[in-house]
Amino acid sequence: MTTQYAPHPHTPPPHSQYPQSQPPKKQTNVIGVIALIVGVIGFVFACIPGALIIGWIMLPIAFILSLVGLFLPRKAKWSAITALIVSVVGTIVGVLVFFFVIVGAVDESFGGSDSSVVENDAAVTDEVDGGAGASTVDDEGSESSGGADAATSEAGSRENPSALGSTVTGDEWEITVVDFNAEADEEVLAGYDFNEPAAEGSKYVVAEVDVTYIGEGSSDPFLLDISYLTDSGNVVESYDTMAIAPEPTLNEIGEMYTGASGTGNVVFEVPADDEGLLRVAPGMIADDVFISTK
């Protein structure tokens, strides 16, 4: 008699004769790779001020291609995702670079320029924006050092105005206040019949100004800012006064080309007992220089 044994309960089942199927391998995402290359190149150009436009053209293209690459089936996504990030970051960087370029251009065009002063009868030149150690000129015509208080003692400042006859120079104009009449009521009223007397408690003052245009092309002294600063700190512009200055007036000189010069008068109506200063800017965006009226 043959004895039969039951199979062991822990005997593993026989291996399948058929191999298990492997998931298909993802293919290279060609669109994603192209998007990444375009995005990197666009990012580089977006960082170069002179080539911003190229970056701004390439980055949107990279962004669109990266989106297409993300939705392609059975394609690797890493290149498309990287291209998407690069295109977004590159656009942000490009906007920042463009902003700083514009700010720099505006500052260069409208941010003001230095004005220098050559004191009357003293060959000493001071930058109005000079820092510590800027030079000033005393009554003897000698040079002194500003030191820590230079901001309040530099030549041409409100605290230390330049003398009459000093020449103020900017990028476009040279201006010299050659004379100042602090009691010009009779002169103004005699100039034009329709000039009316100054208001009660006020008087007319007249500044005689020499101007020379040293900029490029042409300009008009009408655009110059020559004003009067009262003792109390109020600014009086020439156009605040209804009266016309005695001839020749500064506004009548007209358009001037490089090297042209002219002399004209400017009138202000100021408080009767005032002994203020003249404020001169040798150009529309030049720094102000203060001139003594005494």
Side-chain angles (χ1 to χ4, degrees):
M1 185 176 66
T2 303
T3 304
Q4 296 182 352
Y5 297 95
H8 194 276
H10 299 291
T11 301
H15 293 286
S16 173
Q17 298 179 354
Y18 302 98
Q20 296 180 354
S21 60
Q22 298 293 330
K25 185 178 181 180
K26 291 184 178 181
Q27 301 175 359
T28 301
N29 194 334
V30 178
I31 299 297
V33 173
I34 295 175
L36 180 57
I37 295 174
V38 174
V40 171
I41 296 175
F43 188 107
V44 172
F45 280 109
C47 298
I48 304 174
L52 277 173
I53 187 65
I54 300 177
W56 282 13
I57 293 174
M58 300 187 73
L59 288 172
I61 295 175
F63 180 79
I64 295 173
L65 291 176
S66 66
L67 292 179
V68 174
L70 281 175
F71 291 99
L72 290 177
R74 296 185 298 277
K75 299 291 184 180
K77 307 298 183 186
W78 68 268
S79 57
I81 294 174
T82 306
L84 181 64
I85 295 174
V86 170
S87 61
V88 172
V89 175
T91 301
I92 296 174
V93 172
V95 171
L96 292 176
V97 172
F98 177 76
F99 173 77
F100 287 117
V101 168
I102 293 299
V103 169
V106 171
D107 181 68
E108 182 178 350
S109 299
F110 302 103
S113 59
D114 290 339
S115 301
S116 61
V117 183
V118 176
E119 292 284 348
N120 183 24
D121 297 330
V124 178
T125 301
D126 256 359
E127 288 292 335
V128 173
D129 281 346
S135 301
T136 60
V137 179
D138 58 23
D139 294 336
E140 306 292 332
S142 61
E143 185 177 336
S144 60
S145 178
D149 296 331
T152 58
S153 62
E154 60 190 9
S157 65
R158 182 182 178 187
E159 294 77 12
N160 182 27
S162 296
L164 282 174
S166 300
T167 300
V168 181
T169 304
D171 293 336
E172 298 180 333
W173 293 91
E174 288 183 349
I175 302 175
T176 303
V177 181
V178 295
D179 192 20
F180 183 81
N181 185 353
E183 302 291 339
D185 286 32
E186 293 184 5
E187 182 182 2
V188 171
L189 294 177
Y192 292 92
D193 293 338
F194 50 80
N195 280 347
E196 297 183 355
E200 184 177 355
S202 300
K203 66 178 179 179
Y204 289 121
V205 297
V206 172
E208 182 182 353
V209 182
D210 284 346
V211 294
T212 300
Y213 185 64
I214 59 175
E216 298 180 355
S218 66
S219 187
D220 196 310
F222 173 77
L223 302 174
L224 292 174
D225 182 14
I226 300 175
S227 51
Y228 182 94
L229 181 68
T230 66
D231 292 332
S232 59
N234 297 104
V235 176
V236 180
E237 301 286 355
S238 59
Y239 52 76
D240 294 331
T241 303
M242 299 301 296
I244 297 178
E247 291 187 347
T249 66
L250 187 64
N251 294 340
E252 291 176 346
I253 295 177
E255 185 178 8
M256 304 170 68
Y257 279 83
T258 305
S261 300
T263 300
N265 294 319
V266 183
V267 62
F268 305 96
E269 185 174 354
V270 303
D273 57 350
D274 198 87
E275 296 182 351
L277 305 172
L278 289 173
R279 188 184 69 177
V280 174
M284 293 183 64
I285 59 174
D287 296 316
D288 296 328
V289 177
F290 293 90
I291 304 294
S292 174
T293 59
K294 302 176 183 178

